[in-house]
Amino acid sequence: MTSFVGRSELLGTAKTLMTSARLVTLIGAGGVGKTRLLDRLARECANQTGTPHFKHGVAVARLGDIKSTDDRLDTTIAEALGILHNASSPIRTRLVEHLRHKQLLLLLDNCEQLVGDEPGTGPLPDLLRTLLSASPALRIVVTSQTKLGVRGEHLLPVPPLCTGVEESCDPAERGTVHEAQRLLLDRAQEIGVRIPRDHYALVSTLCELLGGLPLAIELAAGKLDIMTLQEMVEQHNLLHVLVGGSSEQRRHRTLRSTLDWSYNLLTPDEKHMFMLTSVFDGGFDLHAATAVAAAHDVDQADVLGRLATLVRKSLLLTEQRNGRTRYRMLPIIRHYGRELINESEHGQSLLQSHADYFEALLQRGADEWLSDAEVEWMRTLRADLANILTAQDYLARAPGQSGRARQMAINAKRTRFLHFAGLLNTADRMFVAAPADTDEAVSAQQVTALSLTAWIALTQGNPARAKTLLVRAEDAARELGISDSFPPLLLARGSWLFFAEPDAQRASEAVGVLQRAVALFHEAGSSGDVFMAQLFLTMATALLGEGAAAFHEVARLAKLVEGSSPEWSMSWVLWAGALADVLHGDPHAAFRSAQEALQIQRRIGDTWGPVWSVWLIAVIAATVGQSEHAGQLFGAANTLQGHSQTNILGMTSLLRVQDQAQRRCRLDLGDDDLEFPIALGESLPICEALDLAQREPLPRPRKQTGRQRPGGLSERQWHVAQLVAQGMTNHEIGEVLHISKRTAEVHVGKILSKLDFATRVEIATWVSSARPPVR
């Protein structure tokens, strides 16, 4: 949003270095402009402006909020890469698998806190060694105040902006407007302050006093509407810190003093507001700021004005997200504010207020579920995930508040926002982060937490872990005497029975268990939980029951959303109706419902639901005889499951449905010929896979009688044989047919076996003498 000043030579050096180095560290003091340089580099590489070609794109991960003591490093990078982590497997394994064959540029910002006391130690060097060794085409650029100490690392120092007094500066150019001066002039003009040429000497003096540090210059420029240049250069504290010490120490103290100085220019009320807003992680909105400020003697009517002042003074940034304004601090400024919190006698009270607000926010989101605002709730909670995790961590550590931390995990699950965001593993981690105290008596809350964690494991396709957690929940419930009357446990038990129980007779018990869960949730007045239990009851009835019963449950599910427009929930009503239709009713109606569900899910940005919808559309296509189309959709569903780590086929009842659908396709096409559309679907990018599922299916092809290829080959095998005759390698055949080299090898092997040949030359000779293919 602001002009990029200078650094052209440094940018050129960085791009040149990237052609030979796989790990480049932009190293320099805090506030020197490393992040802005990284952003510019990302933009130019993404646009391929004079840079090496990165076939699989450019990704930027901000690590300033990650501490060396927590476990969010891998997850944060995975999110920047668009990796959805719903599985229970380690995210590092997922990262390695995703990057293994990628020609990609990964840029990591604000990394110094993730390096140990000695270079080469700490969580980030360890991760980068793993990624670079596993991904030969990967290039990484990081910003850090210290070197990482990873073998092969190339350091590119990022100096302060040129002020005209450096030894490297050409004496003939002294007195002209250099990079540092241009930055201050540009930023001053942005806030409406035009500096006349006869004041340029003061500009140069101020830039020299600030050490050419871009952050310090930006902060100084932000004060030019309340101070003159002369007043600034006369600030004694600012001049004092530039005296003595090494150049590196001078740069560090200049930045610290600039932050001190910027803070000391605030009024007492503004200082108070600055400290209050420093408590937030990853940004905040006006509601959050108002709530926290109100707990610390700030009138609600004053909050917006004080936030505006901090924005104007460059201590807060704003961004528009989903029609809402969010505020955030640059990491270095927020760290400065955190120091103020730690030093304040009110620091613990402020952290408690922050935790209280986000605990209440989650509770309200859970209570207000199944309304027109459910998508807005999911987006709001996703935007505040960093704050939610910080609040839960505080409560988990605070004496006597572990139960509140556990309730936050429960409510995060009840709002479904982590499903929506494709972060089921984070939901699981929230439960792990709030364990019961060793001396804590068994409680209904613990049963809820165990039941929901089991349910998450089940939806992740991890029935073994789900079973272990469910047994623990059952044991705790029996101890409390609520084994058959506690709805969260009944939901988990019923879901287990129909999703994972291999015994069909026992699986049929799921319907009765889930009916009781629905009734008990309804008695408790928990509408959102009623919907989820009814959804699973509807699915169980469709998969295990009769058609009439399935459609009755679909109608009951639809009734729950009458009178409102909960889009996420409505997409699942359509999905459940499509499941009932394809199994017991009109498959063509099922097609329309499933495609409408997918359309809603894509529109609202759901990352979890589309996987299920594409899979269901594949089943429907197979049912109506669209075998080629179904094969591609099954392949697309495989890709989407891998991308989102959603394991639909880990659920026994759904695996049975897929097996039956694919048997139909094989009877129609033959075993060999189904492999090709599946492979083609698996090769599609995510967007194209989703587009394919929303495409109107082709009319069912008429069966052709008397269709036979020479030598008893299938249609696809005959095609492969013709390509072999053209001298193509297995790799080239794979390129033509959009399949893997391995799949091509399998088909060539089957052709050799059927024709009793030993070499490809024999295939080529035979094809040239065989009759032409029937068209």
Side-chain angles (χ1 to χ4, degrees):
M1 297 297 292
T2 57
S3 58
F4 184 77
V5 176
R7 306 297 202 191
S8 57
E9 183 176 347
L10 199 59
L11 269 172
T13 302
K15 287 185 281 190
T16 300
L17 192 56
M18 284 161 49
T19 62
S20 58
R22 296 187 58 214
L23 174 61
V24 175
T25 299
L26 304 179
I27 189 168
V32 80
K34 302 183 296 295
T35 294
R36 190 63 191 269
L37 181 64
L38 189 80
D39 288 343
R40 186 70 173 196
L41 187 63
R43 178 180 176 182
E44 295 195 5
C45 289
N47 294 335
Q48 300 177 15
T49 306
T51 62
H53 176 58
F54 297 102
K55 180 179 178 181
H56 297 100
V58 176
V60 181
R62 312 291 183 188
L63 306 183
D65 291 328
I66 311 300
K67 304 179 181 69
S68 61
T69 55
D70 66 29
D71 61 351
R72 291 190 292 142
L73 172 60
D74 295 18
T75 302
T76 301
I77 295 175
E79 288 185 42
L81 290 164
I83 298 173
L84 304 178
H85 190 228
N86 291 320
S88 56
S89 59
I91 186 61
R92 183 160 301 190
T93 301
R94 182 84 175 107
L95 271 173
V96 169
E97 291 171 353
H98 179 82
L99 292 171
R100 189 180 304 279
H101 302 296
K102 293 289 193 298
Q103 188 175 342
L104 180 140
L105 175 61
L106 176 61
L107 302 113
L108 307 177
D109 191 30
N110 291 320
C111 301
E112 55 272 354
Q113 78 281 7
L114 300 172
V115 181
D117 293 335
E118 295 295 327
T121 64
L124 185 64
D126 179 63
L127 172 62
L128 296 192
R129 275 190 287 267
T130 299
L131 296 183
L132 289 167
S133 62
S135 312
L138 177 66
R139 295 288 189 275
I140 300 176
V141 179
V142 306
T143 68
S144 176
Q145 294 185 35
T146 63
K147 69 177 182 178
L148 307 184
V150 176
R151 185 177 180 183
E153 177 187 21
H154 284 64
L155 301 181
L156 181 58
V158 180
L161 293 174
C162 177
T163 63
V165 298
E166 295 82 3
E167 292 182 4
S168 58
C169 181
D170 185 344
E173 294 182 358
R174 290 180 183 171
T176 63
V177 177
H178 293 276
E179 291 177 343
Q181 290 92 324
R182 277 199 290 120
L183 178 62
L184 190 140
L185 292 169
D186 282 6
R187 298 300 183 262
Q189 190 168 0
E190 286 173 10
I191 63 168
V193 176
R194 297 183 63 86
I195 300 175
R197 292 194 66 86
D198 59 353
H199 286 190
Y200 278 15
L202 286 173
V203 170
S204 296
T205 301
L206 180 58
C207 290
E208 291 167 22
L209 292 174
L210 296 174
L213 290 175
L215 175 57
I217 293 170
E218 298 237 10
L219 290 170
K223 309 297 182 296
L224 286 174
D225 58 343
I226 58 172
M227 293 184 70
T228 66
L229 282 168
Q230 187 68 45
E231 290 171 332
M232 285 190 183
V233 299
E234 289 174 353
Q235 287 289 315
H236 296 295
N237 289 340
L238 177 63
L239 293 172
H240 174 74
V241 297
L242 292 173
V243 177
S246 68
S247 59
E248 183 67 22
Q249 291 170 331
R250 265 201 312 275
R251 283 197 294 274
H252 177 76
R253 290 209 305 271
T254 299
L255 178 62
R256 177 57 190 247
S257 67
T258 300
L259 292 170
D260 288 337
W261 171 56
S262 180
Y263 175 73
N264 289 329
L265 287 174
L266 300 176
T267 65
D269 286 343
E270 291 166 357
K271 287 180 179 178
H272 186 50
M273 194 66 187
F274 173 73
M275 185 180 72
L276 294 181
T277 54
S278 300
V279 77
F280 294 103
D281 266 326
F284 59 95
D285 60 17
L286 179 60
H287 293 297
T290 301
V292 170
H296 293 271
D297 303 322
V298 178
D299 191 278
Q300 180 177 343
D302 295 333
V303 173
L304 183 59
R306 294 185 188 180
L307 290 177
T309 299
L310 295 179
V311 171
R312 181 172 59 81
K313 295 185 176 182
S314 302
L315 293 171
L316 280 180
L317 303 174
T318 61
E319 57 187 7
Q320 303 297 317
R321 187 181 295 181
N322 297 317
R324 302 281 184 178
T325 299
R326 285 188 65 82
Y327 302 85
R328 66 180 178 88
M329 286 184 179
L330 292 173
I332 194 167
I333 295 177
R334 183 165 48 77
H335 291 323
Y336 178 88
R338 286 296 178 87
E339 290 181 5
L340 298 176
I341 293 174
N342 293 337
E343 294 167 2
S344 170
E345 61 180 318
H346 305 295
Q348 287 301 309
S349 173
L350 178 54
L351 294 171
Q352 184 70 56
S353 299
H354 175 270
D356 291 345
Y357 174 79
F358 286 102
E359 179 197 25
L361 185 73
L362 268 178
Q363 183 69 56
R364 199 163 78 249
D367 292 342
E368 295 179 10
W369 195 251
L370 205 64
S371 69
D372 294 349
E374 72 175 13
V375 172
E376 183 177 350
W377 266 114
M378 287 190 284
R379 289 171 175 164
T380 295
L381 295 174
R382 174 64 184 91
D384 274 319
L385 179 57
N387 282 309
I388 288 168
L389 295 176
T390 297
Q392 190 204 23
D393 181 68
Y394 175 81
L395 293 176
R397 295 171 185 272
Q401 301 195 70
S402 61
R404 296 178 65 188
R406 192 178 308 118
Q407 190 61 41
M408 287 189 72
I410 291 169
N411 286 331
K413 169 63 189 69
R414 291 179 64 212
T415 62
R416 269 74 71 182
F417 85 94
L418 293 169
H419 286 77
F420 179 82
L423 296 170
L424 276 182
N425 207 44
T426 299
D428 185 66
R429 284 170 50 212
M430 288 186 71
F431 284 106
V432 173
D437 294 335
T438 53
D439 58 346
E440 186 177 346
V442 174
S443 66
Q445 187 193 59
Q446 290 178 28
V447 178
T448 301
L450 286 167
S451 300
L452 293 179
T453 312
W455 191 90
I456 290 169
L458 188 61
T459 57
Q460 289 177 314
N462 191 346
R465 181 165 184 263
K467 183 65 172 177
T468 300
L469 291 164
L470 186 57
V471 168
R472 290 176 58 194
E474 299 272 14
D475 290 344
R478 274 192 294 273
E479 186 175 337
L480 294 171
I482 58 174
S483 181
D484 294 319
S485 60
F486 197 62
L489 175 61
L490 295 175
L491 173 58
R493 184 192 300 162
S495 300
W496 163 266
L497 285 170
F498 93 87
F499 263 150
E501 177 57 62
D503 184 333
Q505 184 175 356
R506 287 215 59 209
S508 65
E509 299 173 17
V511 172
V513 174
L514 289 169
Q515 285 173 336
R516 182 153 178 75
V518 170
L520 290 169
F521 276 131
H522 184 74
E523 288 177 14
S526 180
S527 60
D529 296 319
V530 170
F531 179 85
M532 290 305 294
Q534 180 64 45
L535 173 61
F536 275 70
L537 172 59
T538 304
M539 293 168 65
T541 306
L543 289 162
L544 306 171
E546 298 297 326
F551 290 117
H552 173 71
E553 298 301 344
V554 170
R556 293 185 64 191
L557 183 67
K559 191 172 181 61
L560 294 175
V561 299
E562 284 183 1
S564 60
S565 301
E567 291 185 284
W568 186 86
S569 297
M570 192 63 223
S571 73
W572 284 100
V573 173
L574 290 163
W575 191 96
L579 180 67
D581 258 324
V582 71
L583 296 178
H584 305 289
D586 180 2
H588 295 281
F591 238 128
R592 292 189 294 272
S593 295
Q595 287 185 326
E596 186 178 350
L598 178 58
Q599 184 178 9
I600 293 172
Q601 290 159 348
R602 296 185 74 181
R603 182 174 68 245
I604 65 177
D606 186 5
T607 64
W608 196 61
V611 186
W612 294 71
S613 293
V614 172
W615 174 84
L616 182 56
I617 293 169
V619 171
I620 299 167
T623 303
V624 299
Q626 302 295 324
S627 300
E628 288 269 359
H629 189 55
Q632 289 190 45
L633 288 168
F634 278 123
N638 291 343
T639 296
L640 289 166
Q641 288 183 77
H643 174 69
S644 65
Q645 289 287 277
T646 303
N647 188 3
I648 293 175
L649 302 184
M651 304 174 191
T652 306
S653 55
L654 299 182
L655 178 60
R656 291 192 192 107
V657 170
Q658 175 164 309
D659 286 345
Q660 185 178 8
Q662 291 192 350
R663 276 198 298 272
R664 291 193 189 99
C665 295
R666 288 191 168 89
L667 287 172
D668 188 19
L669 298 176
D671 286 344
D672 293 333
D673 284 352
L674 181 59
E675 293 178 19
F676 285 92
I678 289 177
L680 179 59
E682 289 175 341
S683 70
L684 293 174
I686 301 300
C687 231
E688 291 183 25
L690 296 172
D691 289 342
L692 176 69
Q694 290 188 276
R695 193 184 75 194
E696 284 296 321
L698 300 174
R700 180 173 182 174
R702 291 193 299 268
K703 286 283 186 181
Q704 298 187 31
T705 58
R707 185 175 186 177
Q708 188 176 3
R709 296 305 185 198
L713 300 185
S714 71
E715 181 73 16
R716 189 64 69 180
Q717 287 170 347
W718 172 250
H719 193 180
V720 171
Q722 289 176 307
L723 297 177
V724 170
Q726 294 176 31
M728 289 190 182
T729 65
N730 291 334
H731 176 76
E732 290 168 335
I733 292 171
E735 294 264 322
V736 170
L737 298 179
H738 303 286
I739 60 175
S740 69
K741 177 184 174 183
R742 174 60 186 153
T743 302
E745 288 174 356
V746 170
H747 283 290
V748 172
K750 289 183 177 180
I751 293 168
L752 290 169
S753 177
K754 277 189 177 182
L755 300 177
D756 197 23
F757 290 159
T759 67
R760 299 167 76 96
V761 173
E762 290 177 281
I763 294 176
T765 303
W766 175 79
V767 167
S768 65
S769 61
R771 63 184 181 181
V774 177
R775 297 227 180 246

